Amino acid sequence: MSFTYEYPRPALTVDCVVFGVDEGGLKILLIERDIEPFAGRWALPGGHVHIDEEIEDAARRELEEETGVDKLFLEQLYTFGAVDRDPRGRVVTVAYYALVRLADHRVRAATDARDAAWFAADALPPLAFDHAKIVEVARARLRGKVRYEPIGFELLPRKFTLSQLQRLYEIVLERPLDKRNFRKKILAMELLVELDEHETGVAHRAARLYRFDERRYRRLVRQGFNFEI
Amino acid sequence: MSFTYEYPRPALTVDCVVFGVDEGGLKILLIERDIEPFAGRWALPGGHVHIDEEIEDAARRELEEETGVDKLFLEQLYTFGAVDRDPRGRVVTVAYYALVRLADHRVRAATDARDAAWFAADALPPLAFDHAKIVEVARARLRGKVRYEPIGFELLPRKFTLSQLQRLYEIVLERPLDKRNFRKKILAMELLVELDEHETGVAHRAARLYRFDERRYRRLVRQGFNFEI
DNA sequence: CCAAAAGTGTTCACGGTACACCCATGC
DNA sequence: GCATGGGTGTACCGTGAACACTTTTGG
């Protein structure tokens, strides 16, 4: 079967920069390519957009197929279409970035048949195509966005300690934050629900757990509230 | 001549939301379609991306062809690809937004053969395709971006008064600003060069003209400076 | 009892905001 | 001389930043 057009058309793909955070810092999910070009190189998960499929759906489908990751925060990043970005011909890719709770997804991705693995964002292997550039754009977007939208919570377990939250921000923003000021500010927003639970299995005083109150956030936004760290 | 592929491919287009500002407020440049679908309706300037052409170049080319507008601020906005957004079939469009100095472009666009015209952003006619949605996304982006990047200057003549600048921000941000505070803040950034010129032809005290010091801005950015209104 | 992280308040400097009058110019 | 916008300073308040010690828990 084949499809014919009066003018040549670029191929359309999606690529996803999937971020996770753990004690070691910011991580990015990559898959190892098994076909040319760039066979054996690591690359962003992605693939072709089906002709009757929404672009964002294609991104979710590829993530699910290649890495088993689903139900995550996903947002369009930028469209990359340099004429020479793929040696096979003109390929335009709509890049997305995604945030996942690493603890929930670590094993599944790492053991997947397609050889997916998490890499420290500061020590990525050489990437296929222009994927290194896409990653840079995604990191800049994450850094910028985390400050004025509460997307950081997408990277933490649903129940978290204030120290975990602070470390998350320190990792993404790449600078240290003052503990007292951080707590004062985040608690003053009244977006966190104090739970009657504490950490377990730590060799020191167990910290209280909190969860992010998404409903309340949405209500406040409607009233003109602006999240900001 | 024809082009054949193993799998179906969407068509790839660009569309541009071109903003201008005058005394009457925020304006958007539209062209009247002369072919189906939506013949006779107003639409965003745009068209197909050539197979060997960078996407942004396509946007500039279409703007130049359809409206005579060139050498302007142009930035990618978002990629729209809803399956049903074009009745002729799958068409994915990479939307851009552009800022122009209206005084320089008003006549050329309005008298162009393809029937281009400026419309008040708050009173657009019904638009073709999903262009109303694209415009909404573009307005939100402009509102957000104008506050922390000095792109407002792209909308003013190179020499402008502080009142013009203030009115520009009031129009884009859709709220009034305090005159003294605005002047204090913008002058404190030391990004404006005070010229030895004043307005002419006004029936009141002539205001001093300023220009934006782009070099200095870039130098400050490198040192970690953040523009903010 | 020791190590490790949790948890907690105050002070100070700066920037944002509110606010009203005189000045220069053209008609 | 009058209408029109240009141009200017100060006082108050709230937020951001700096900063150190006690508490709790497990080992």
PDB file of all heavy atoms in Angstrom, chain B residues 174-189:
ATOM      1  N   GLU B 174      -3.482  44.503  29.637  1.00  0.00           N
ATOM      2  CA  GLU B 174      -4.910  44.734  29.892  1.00  0.00           C
ATOM      3  C   GLU B 174      -5.170  45.223  31.312  1.00  0.00           C
ATOM      4  O   GLU B 174      -6.116  44.805  31.970  1.00  0.00           O
ATOM      5  CB  GLU B 174      -5.728  43.461  29.595  1.00  0.00           C
ATOM      6  CG  GLU B 174      -5.637  43.041  28.130  1.00  0.00           C
ATOM      7  CD  GLU B 174      -6.335  41.717  27.829  1.00  0.00           C
ATOM      8  OE1 GLU B 174      -6.986  41.174  28.731  1.00  0.00           O
ATOM      9  OE2 GLU B 174      -6.232  41.242  26.691  1.00  0.00           O
ATOM     10  N   ARG B 175      -4.256  46.088  31.815  1.00  0.00           N
ATOM     11  CA  ARG B 175      -4.527  46.743  33.095  1.00  0.00           C
ATOM     12  C   ARG B 175      -3.734  48.041  33.160  1.00  0.00           C
ATOM     13  O   ARG B 175      -2.690  48.187  32.523  1.00  0.00           O
ATOM     14  CB  ARG B 175      -4.162  45.828  34.268  1.00  0.00           C
ATOM     15  CG  ARG B 175      -2.702  45.477  34.350  1.00  0.00           C
ATOM     16  CD  ARG B 175      -2.467  44.443  35.438  1.00  0.00           C
ATOM     17  NE  ARG B 175      -1.145  43.856  35.327  1.00  0.00           N
ATOM     18  CZ  ARG B 175      -0.058  44.339  35.925  1.00  0.00           C
ATOM     19  NH1 ARG B 175      -0.134  45.415  36.675  1.00  0.00           N
ATOM     20  NH2 ARG B 175       1.100  43.736  35.768  1.00  0.00           N
ATOM     21  N   PRO B 176      -4.252  49.004  33.932  1.00  0.00           N
ATOM     22  CA  PRO B 176      -3.572  50.297  34.026  1.00  0.00           C
ATOM     23  C   PRO B 176      -2.310  50.201  34.879  1.00  0.00           C
ATOM     24  O   PRO B 176      -2.218  49.374  35.783  1.00  0.00           O
ATOM     25  CB  PRO B 176      -4.619  51.189  34.697  1.00  0.00           C
ATOM     26  CG  PRO B 176      -5.491  50.246  35.460  1.00  0.00           C
ATOM     27  CD  PRO B 176      -5.488  48.955  34.700  1.00  0.00           C
ATOM     28  N   LEU B 177      -1.351  51.044  34.573  1.00  0.00           N
ATOM     29  CA  LEU B 177      -0.109  51.092  35.345  1.00  0.00           C
ATOM     30  C   LEU B 177       0.060  52.504  35.887  1.00  0.00           C
ATOM     31  O   LEU B 177      -0.368  53.478  35.270  1.00  0.00           O
ATOM     32  CB  LEU B 177       1.081  50.731  34.449  1.00  0.00           C
ATOM     33  CG  LEU B 177       1.026  49.342  33.806  1.00  0.00           C
ATOM     34  CD1 LEU B 177       2.154  49.177  32.793  1.00  0.00           C
ATOM     35  CD2 LEU B 177       1.118  48.263  34.870  1.00  0.00           C
ATOM     36  N   ASP B 178       0.687  52.611  37.036  1.00  0.00           N
ATOM     37  CA  ASP B 178       0.940  53.921  37.646  1.00  0.00           C
ATOM     38  C   ASP B 178       2.099  54.613  36.934  1.00  0.00           C
ATOM     39  O   ASP B 178       3.172  54.041  36.783  1.00  0.00           O
ATOM     40  CB  ASP B 178       1.263  53.729  39.130  1.00  0.00           C
ATOM     41  CG  ASP B 178       1.550  55.050  39.798  1.00  0.00           C
ATOM     42  OD1 ASP B 178       0.583  55.714  40.209  1.00  0.00           O
ATOM     43  OD2 ASP B 178       2.733  55.436  39.881  1.00  0.00           O
ATOM     44  N   LYS B 179       1.861  55.862  36.520  1.00  0.00           N
ATOM     45  CA  LYS B 179       2.852  56.565  35.704  1.00  0.00           C
ATOM     46  C   LYS B 179       4.197  56.705  36.398  1.00  0.00           C
ATOM     47  O   LYS B 179       5.241  56.355  35.835  1.00  0.00           O
ATOM     48  CB  LYS B 179       2.323  57.942  35.306  1.00  0.00           C
ATOM     49  CG  LYS B 179       3.291  58.725  34.416  1.00  0.00           C
ATOM     50  CD  LYS B 179       2.625  59.862  33.668  1.00  0.00           C
ATOM     51  CE  LYS B 179       2.189  60.991  34.570  1.00  0.00           C
ATOM     52  NZ  LYS B 179       1.963  62.245  33.810  1.00  0.00           N
ATOM     53  N   ARG B 180       4.191  57.201  37.620  1.00  0.00           N
ATOM     54  CA  ARG B 180       5.483  57.427  38.293  1.00  0.00           C
ATOM     55  C   ARG B 180       6.226  56.133  38.566  1.00  0.00           C
ATOM     56  O   ARG B 180       7.434  56.022  38.377  1.00  0.00           O
ATOM     57  CB  ARG B 180       5.274  58.191  39.596  1.00  0.00           C
ATOM     58  CG  ARG B 180       5.182  59.679  39.351  1.00  0.00           C
ATOM     59  CD  ARG B 180       4.868  60.409  40.613  1.00  0.00           C
ATOM     60  NE  ARG B 180       3.514  60.112  41.075  1.00  0.00           N
ATOM     61  CZ  ARG B 180       2.906  60.776  42.033  1.00  0.00           C
ATOM     62  NH1 ARG B 180       3.554  61.757  42.661  1.00  0.00           N
ATOM     63  NH2 ARG B 180       1.690  60.493  42.385  1.00  0.00           N
ATOM     64  N   ASN B 181       5.483  55.135  39.001  1.00  0.00           N
ATOM     65  CA  ASN B 181       6.137  53.861  39.286  1.00  0.00           C
ATOM     66  C   ASN B 181       6.691  53.223  38.017  1.00  0.00           C
ATOM     67  O   ASN B 181       7.788  52.668  38.015  1.00  0.00           O
ATOM     68  CB  ASN B 181       5.160  52.910  39.967  1.00  0.00           C
ATOM     69  CG  ASN B 181       4.789  53.396  41.352  1.00  0.00           C
ATOM     70  OD1 ASN B 181       5.537  54.152  41.971  1.00  0.00           O
ATOM     71  ND2 ASN B 181       3.626  52.991  41.833  1.00  0.00           N
ATOM     72  N   PHE B 182       5.917  53.326  36.932  1.00  0.00           N
ATOM     73  CA  PHE B 182       6.371  52.750  35.675  1.00  0.00           C
ATOM     74  C   PHE B 182       7.676  53.398  35.226  1.00  0.00           C
ATOM     75  O   PHE B 182       8.645  52.720  34.884  1.00  0.00           O
ATOM     76  CB  PHE B 182       5.291  52.923  34.604  1.00  0.00           C
ATOM     77  CG  PHE B 182       5.686  52.386  33.264  1.00  0.00           C
ATOM     78  CD1 PHE B 182       5.593  51.028  32.997  1.00  0.00           C
ATOM     79  CD2 PHE B 182       6.168  53.227  32.270  1.00  0.00           C
ATOM     80  CE1 PHE B 182       5.963  50.522  31.762  1.00  0.00           C
ATOM     81  CE2 PHE B 182       6.553  52.730  31.039  1.00  0.00           C
ATOM     82  CZ  PHE B 182       6.447  51.383  30.785  1.00  0.00           C
ATOM     83  N   ARG B 183       7.719  54.731  35.271  1.00  0.00           N
ATOM     84  CA  ARG B 183       8.922  55.437  34.830  1.00  0.00           C
ATOM     85  C   ARG B 183      10.120  55.112  35.722  1.00  0.00           C
ATOM     86  O   ARG B 183      11.223  54.870  35.242  1.00  0.00           O
ATOM     87  CB  ARG B 183       8.687  56.951  34.866  1.00  0.00           C
ATOM     88  CG  ARG B 183       7.822  57.408  33.745  1.00  0.00           C
ATOM     89  CD  ARG B 183       7.323  58.815  33.919  1.00  0.00           C
ATOM     90  NE  ARG B 183       6.413  59.084  32.824  1.00  0.00           N
ATOM     91  CZ  ARG B 183       6.625  60.024  31.900  1.00  0.00           C
ATOM     92  NH1 ARG B 183       7.666  60.815  31.976  1.00  0.00           N
ATOM     93  NH2 ARG B 183       5.773  60.177  30.906  1.00  0.00           N
ATOM     94  N   LYS B 184       9.862  55.097  37.003  1.00  0.00           N
ATOM     95  CA  LYS B 184      10.932  54.799  37.952  1.00  0.00           C
ATOM     96  C   LYS B 184      11.547  53.439  37.631  1.00  0.00           C
ATOM     97  O   LYS B 184      12.750  53.272  37.513  1.00  0.00           O
ATOM     98  CB  LYS B 184      10.339  54.778  39.367  1.00  0.00           C
ATOM     99  CG  LYS B 184      11.283  55.142  40.464  1.00  0.00           C
ATOM    100  CD  LYS B 184      10.641  54.898  41.824  1.00  0.00           C
ATOM    101  CE  LYS B 184       9.199  55.377  41.885  1.00  0.00           C
ATOM    102  NZ  LYS B 184       8.499  54.922  43.120  1.00  0.00           N
ATOM    103  N   LYS B 185      10.671  52.469  37.441  1.00  0.00           N
ATOM    104  CA  LYS B 185      11.136  51.102  37.252  1.00  0.00           C
ATOM    105  C   LYS B 185      11.877  50.924  35.935  1.00  0.00           C
ATOM    106  O   LYS B 185      12.954  50.344  35.886  1.00  0.00           O
ATOM    107  CB  LYS B 185       9.926  50.157  37.290  1.00  0.00           C
ATOM    108  CG  LYS B 185      10.324  48.715  37.183  1.00  0.00           C
ATOM    109  CD  LYS B 185       9.273  47.824  37.785  1.00  0.00           C
ATOM    110  CE  LYS B 185       9.747  46.403  37.820  1.00  0.00           C
ATOM    111  NZ  LYS B 185       8.754  45.517  38.436  1.00  0.00           N
ATOM    112  N   ILE B 186      11.285  51.427  34.866  1.00  0.00           N
ATOM    113  CA  ILE B 186      11.875  51.198  33.548  1.00  0.00           C
ATOM    114  C   ILE B 186      13.197  51.957  33.425  1.00  0.00           C
ATOM    115  O   ILE B 186      14.158  51.461  32.832  1.00  0.00           O
ATOM    116  CB  ILE B 186      10.877  51.596  32.428  1.00  0.00           C
ATOM    117  CG1 ILE B 186      11.243  50.920  31.125  1.00  0.00           C
ATOM    118  CG2 ILE B 186      10.813  53.090  32.214  1.00  0.00           C
ATOM    119  CD1 ILE B 186      10.637  49.580  30.935  1.00  0.00           C
ATOM    120  N   LEU B 187      13.279  53.162  34.018  1.00  0.00           N
ATOM    121  CA  LEU B 187      14.525  53.926  33.928  1.00  0.00           C
ATOM    122  C   LEU B 187      15.604  53.315  34.814  1.00  0.00           C
ATOM    123  O   LEU B 187      16.785  53.352  34.473  1.00  0.00           O
ATOM    124  CB  LEU B 187      14.276  55.395  34.304  1.00  0.00           C
ATOM    125  CG  LEU B 187      13.453  56.180  33.269  1.00  0.00           C
ATOM    126  CD1 LEU B 187      13.162  57.584  33.765  1.00  0.00           C
ATOM    127  CD2 LEU B 187      14.164  56.214  31.916  1.00  0.00           C
ATOM    128  N   ALA B 188      15.176  52.726  35.929  1.00  0.00           N
ATOM    129  CA  ALA B 188      16.150  52.134  36.838  1.00  0.00           C
ATOM    130  C   ALA B 188      16.894  50.970  36.194  1.00  0.00           C
ATOM    131  O   ALA B 188      18.007  50.634  36.574  1.00  0.00           O
ATOM    132  CB  ALA B 188      15.448  51.673  38.117  1.00  0.00           C
ATOM    133  N   MET B 189      16.267  50.327  35.213  1.00  0.00           N
ATOM    134  CA  MET B 189      16.934  49.208  34.530  1.00  0.00           C
ATOM    135  C   MET B 189      18.089  49.683  33.672  1.00  0.00           C
ATOM    136  O   MET B 189      18.925  48.880  33.268  1.00  0.00           O
ATOM    137  CB  MET B 189      15.936  48.489  33.621  1.00  0.00           C
ATOM    138  CG  MET B 189      14.889  47.695  34.360  1.00  0.00           C
ATOM    139  SD  MET B 189      13.940  46.749  33.155  1.00  0.00           S
ATOM    140  CE  MET B 189      12.337  46.813  33.903  1.00  0.00           C
TER     141      MET B 189
END
